[in-house]
Amino acid sequence: MRVVVDLSRCQGYAQCAFLAPDAFRMHGEEALMYDPEPDDALRDRVLRAAAACPVQAILVDRLEGRQAPVEAARS
């Protein structure tokens, strides 16, 4: 699984950090740090976190080859 966050869109609401703290974390008050290739075991949490993002800044792409990048809210 690959995760990409559009940091120009991210507003630092930190919903992702609450829902998937192993993949996302806030550094200070504004900077989002994230794992671009979280373990597959975190898939459900990462998808929930992406869907909960108020500005839909998180894109999730499975690297298994058959899926193109999708916005998690549309999955």
Side-chain angles (χ1 to χ4, degrees):
M1 154 184 289
R2 179 176 287 172
V3 173
V4 177
V5 178
D6 182 347
L7 295 174
S8 65
R9 235 178 167 178
C10 178
Q11 298 293 311
Y13 291 109
Q15 295 302 314
C16 57
F18 293 117
L19 294 169
D22 293 330
F24 305 96
R25 68 185 181 285
M26 293 302 293
H27 185 340
E29 292 182 27
E30 297 180 9
L32 175 68
M33 305 296 287
Y34 67 97
D35 181 354
E37 294 184 11
D39 189 85
D40 231 21
L42 299 174
R43 179 185 330 232
D44 288 340
R45 286 180 176 237
V46 169
L47 290 174
R48 279 189 217 125
C53 178
V55 294
Q56 298 300 290
I58 303 169
L59 300 174
V60 178
D61 172 23
R62 292 188 191 166
L63 295 176
E64 291 140 13
R66 292 196 303 257
Q67 283 189 315
V70 295
E71 288 187 32
R74 295 182 185 174
S75 303

